[in-house]
Amino acid sequence: MTPININRYRLSRLVWDSLLDHASQYDGHKTFLRDTMIRNEDLREHADYNTGSIPFSSAWCNFAITNYFNPDVIAEVGTFIGKSTMSLAYGMFRASQRDVVSKQKTIYTCDMSNDIDIGSAQWQVRIEQYKKKSSAEMFSDMRIKNVHADMVNIDGRLGVEDFDVLFDVVTERTIYLLDDFEGTEKGVANAFNLFTQPSMRKHTLVYPPERDLLAKHGLVEPCFTAMIVPASLIEFHNQ
């Protein structure tokens, strides 16, 4: 019997369509989140290393991801001025409002180059910053605290030292977000290195959302965020 093959591009479109459709009930909050992103731009003046940051399309996709999956703990590599952190936190907050039992939401975030203070809490989400600390140092501290991340947002190139500790602070159901997934950028390199790990064999790669799908949801800039999702989180339903 010949199996039905669903390639990654087709699967990726289905996944993003589901996430963005689910987030569309919050379209009225886009202006609020956009204004938050604009305010965070003021933090650039405190940067020791001033670099790029995500566009609003990526911020809204971050919101859509955390609002849908409802993680309790996120580990983030690359804080900078906190745009990704804030968009992830806002999605966590909105998702938490659907929880029957309230749980503490936490983002652990590190930046090797900067010590910009983005605040210790936002929308009831606790933010623990590792300023001028490497991702390996953050993962090691999480391991000591016996903290396991439901989601890892990677906006930096992972090194060998990261893989020595990363898989001690994740689970088989952890989702990975990969920024700058295009060409030979760091997101592609991170995906390749993650998939060399035996524990990632039951995960699948979701490419960034296509421009026409973003436009359908009123997002004009491109988004280069890819995901690595456990196959156990993709289910088929009759309706």
Side-chain angles (χ1 to χ4, degrees):
M1 299 286 284
T2 304
I4 296 175
N5 293 310
I6 300 176
N7 63 39
R8 283 178 176 168
Y9 286 103
R10 212 172 266 183
L11 176 64
S12 299
R13 189 174 184 88
L14 288 171
V15 170
W16 281 112
D17 203 24
S18 295
L19 297 181
L20 292 170
D21 272 350
H22 184 265
S24 64
Q25 62 185 302
Y26 298 98
D27 275 353
H29 297 256
K30 280 181 178 173
T31 300
F32 173 78
L33 185 58
R34 192 185 296 274
D35 289 345
T36 300
M37 300 296 99
I38 292 171
R39 287 195 298 272
N40 276 57
E41 280 290 330
D42 295 338
L43 296 175
R44 282 185 182 274
E45 64 183 66
H46 305 294
D48 292 326
Y49 177 67
N50 196 350
T51 185
S53 189
I54 61 170
F56 180 73
S57 290
S58 295
W60 188 253
C61 286
N62 281 346
F63 168 84
I65 291 167
T66 51
N67 177 59
Y68 187 93
F69 288 110
N70 194 14
D72 293 325
V73 177
I74 294 177
E76 178 181 57
V77 178
T79 313
F80 189 39
I81 56 176
K83 282 188 174 183
S84 291
T85 320
M86 295 298 106
S87 55
L88 294 167
Y90 193 51
M92 294 171 85
F93 166 64
R94 286 297 169 192
S96 70
Q97 295 183 314
R98 302 192 301 268
D99 288 341
V100 177
V101 179
S102 179
K103 297 180 181 179
Q104 175 64 61
K105 306 286 188 179
T106 306
I107 298 177
Y108 297 84
T109 180
C110 67
D111 192 315
M112 186 70 174
S113 304
N114 292 294
D115 59 357
I116 301 170
D117 188 356
I118 64 170
S120 61
Q122 192 66 256
W123 306 298
Q124 302 174 30
V125 176
R126 184 169 69 91
I127 299 172
E128 186 165 333
Q129 285 189 253
Y130 291 78
K131 303 172 184 176
K132 291 288 181 81
K133 299 289 185 181
S134 69
S135 45
E137 289 176 297
M138 179 180 71
F139 295 146
S140 295
D141 188 58
M142 291 174 65
R143 179 171 62 182
I144 291 170
K145 294 175 179 176
N146 196 30
V147 173
H148 293 86
D150 303 305
M151 190 172 286
V152 181
N153 182 43
I154 307 171
D155 187 8
R157 192 178 291 265
L158 297 182
V160 174
E161 65 280 3
D162 292 297
F163 291 101
D164 290 337
V165 285
L166 172 60
F167 290 96
D168 291 330
V169 298
V170 296
T171 72
E172 61 182 12
R173 289 174 66 83
T174 296
I175 297 171
Y176 302 82
L177 311 186
L178 307 168
D179 191 38
D180 287 334
F181 191 91
E182 59 170 336
T184 58
E185 295 292 335
K186 60 181 181 288
V188 178
N190 286 331
F192 176 82
N193 290 327
L194 283 166
F195 275 116
T196 64
Q197 307 300 311
S199 60
M200 300 295 290
R201 289 173 183 164
K202 294 184 179 180
H203 288 63
T204 188
L205 178 64
V206 174
Y207 293 125
E210 296 173 337
R211 293 292 295 268
D212 68 310
L213 186 57
L214 293 171
K216 171 186 169 184
H217 293 275
L219 303 169
V220 297
E221 307 109 326
C223 169
F224 297 110
T225 300
M227 293 185 287
I228 298 177
V229 180
S232 61
L233 292 181
I234 299 175
E235 299 178 349
F236 293 94
H237 292 269
N238 293 331
Q239 295 182 352

